[in-house]
Amino acid sequence: MAERRNEQPPSDSRRKFLKYSGTAIGGAVVGGVIGGAIAGGFRKNPAAPAPAPTTPGAATQTADFNQAPMYFNQFQMQITEAAAERIYPKDDIGPGAAELGVAFFIDHQMASPWGINAREYRIGPFIKGEVTQGDYQIIQRNELFTMGLQAMEEASKKKYTKSFIDLTDEEKDAILTSMDKGEILVINEVTGKTFFNLLRRVTLEGVYSDPVYGGNKNMMGWKMRKYPGNQMVYTEIMEKSEFVLMEPRSLHDHFATH
């Protein structure tokens, strides 16, 4: 995994992260949010006649209409999913970014007002600041992201003569590492490091945000950390000294029951 390239193996590092973060959270936690892609799999059924047509307007219980692209094209979704999976890979603790639907979360963010920096000051001059000042760029986040994906794809073809999605895990890590070091240029003075920081940020947000935003599928990201999600009240456990394991709740659960 790119962000752990100079440390221990991804699964070992992630195992410790989940262990210690769970300990730090403690018993009573205030609910809130941090800011395979398609659920289910396939079940084998015995041969049977075709089902009767459903009533017009009726939706299947397993349908998840939040798992749909709003900004990326198909290839951009694939490369985003492949990159996010290397930042948060599947291991023996639980699913990775791909299975958690993180690519859909990122896609939805890019299609949102946040993706076009709608609530930020956008009038120049656009001057390169100090390292401690952060980025202030003329291009929007969604533009930066799609340009970063394209730069990553071009770097993959130049170095390995293959698309990023066809690289081995080690080769993907090498490209992401070059991005993180700023060795790959995205546009003008915008280096790959700026893109990588954005990619890493939205990947982790997609793992741990409320499922209504597209990621954290089936709240599996929360379940790995024993995080309760968006509970309405904690009055029954607030005075308990031991850690209380609660079934996580999404904002969707509250909307569905009220």
Side-chain angles (χ1 to χ4, degrees):
M1 185 172 68
E3 65 177 343
R4 306 184 185 112
R5 60 187 179 282
N6 295 321
E7 302 175 5
Q8 50 210 351
S11 59
D12 200 34
S13 174
R14 179 175 165 194
R15 186 179 300 109
K16 290 184 178 180
F17 167 73
L18 292 170
K19 174 182 178 182
Y20 294 128
S21 62
T23 301
I25 288 175
V29 184
V30 177
V33 298
I34 295 179
I38 304 298
F42 299 94
R43 291 177 295 180
K44 294 182 178 180
N45 297 318
T54 57
T55 303
T60 61
Q61 293 182 350
T62 57
D64 187 348
F65 299 107
N66 210 21
Q67 302 290 292
M70 299 179 178
Y71 181 77
F72 294 143
N73 59 35
Q74 184 177 8
F75 179 72
Q76 290 168 338
M77 283 291 292
Q78 291 175 334
I79 194 172
T80 297
E81 181 178 86
E85 180 68 13
R86 293 312 303 148
I87 292 175
Y88 197 91
K90 179 179 181 178
D91 61 13
D92 59 329
I93 296 297
E99 190 175 348
L100 289 168
V102 168
F104 287 106
F105 170 84
I106 296 175
D107 168 81
H108 295 179
Q109 292 301 298
M110 296 304 145
S112 74
W114 183 83
I116 59 173
N117 305 67
R119 297 184 179 181
E120 299 176 17
Y121 181 79
R122 299 294 297 156
I123 301 176
F126 296 89
I127 301 174
K128 185 176 182 180
E130 300 296 329
V131 176
T132 56
Q133 293 179 310
D135 297 320
Y136 181 57
Q137 300 156 352
I138 192 171
I139 59 176
Q140 300 168 174
R141 286 192 187 92
N142 55 15
E143 293 174 336
L144 169 62
F145 204 92
T146 53
M147 289 177 183
L149 294 177
Q150 184 61 37
M152 192 162 60
E153 176 70 1
E154 292 173 356
S156 301
K157 290 182 177 178
K158 181 178 180 179
K159 186 172 183 178
Y160 299 109
T161 66
K162 292 186 294 185
S163 171
F164 182 84
I165 60 178
D166 296 324
L167 300 181
T168 65
D169 289 346
E170 292 73 18
E171 291 169 342
K172 289 174 184 173
D173 289 351
I175 295 296
L176 289 171
T177 297
S178 294
M179 278 284 183
D180 187 23
K181 289 182 177 180
E183 297 172 349
I184 298 175
L185 189 67
V186 175
I187 182 175
N188 297 331
E189 296 183 357
V190 180
T191 67
K193 184 172 183 61
T194 300
F195 164 71
F196 179 83
N197 289 340
L198 177 61
L199 170 64
R200 182 180 183 276
R201 170 185 174 180
V202 292
T203 294
L204 294 178
E205 288 177 349
V207 170
Y208 295 117
S209 65
D210 194 287
V212 297
Y213 300 109
N216 188 15
K217 191 165 186 61
N218 295 326
M219 296 181 281
M220 291 185 289
W222 287 349
K223 291 175 182 177
M224 285 188 286
R225 296 188 62 181
K226 297 180 175 59
Y227 181 67
N230 290 289
Q231 304 287 336
M232 293 299 290
V233 294
Y234 295 90
T235 53
E236 296 182 359
I237 68 168
M238 288 183 64
E239 296 184 0
K240 295 183 178 181
S241 57
E242 73 277 9
F243 180 85
V244 178
L245 181 61
M246 306 176 69
E247 186 67 22
R249 289 176 61 85
S250 165
L251 291 171
H252 175 271
D253 298 327
H254 301 300
F255 296 150
T257 55
H258 291 82

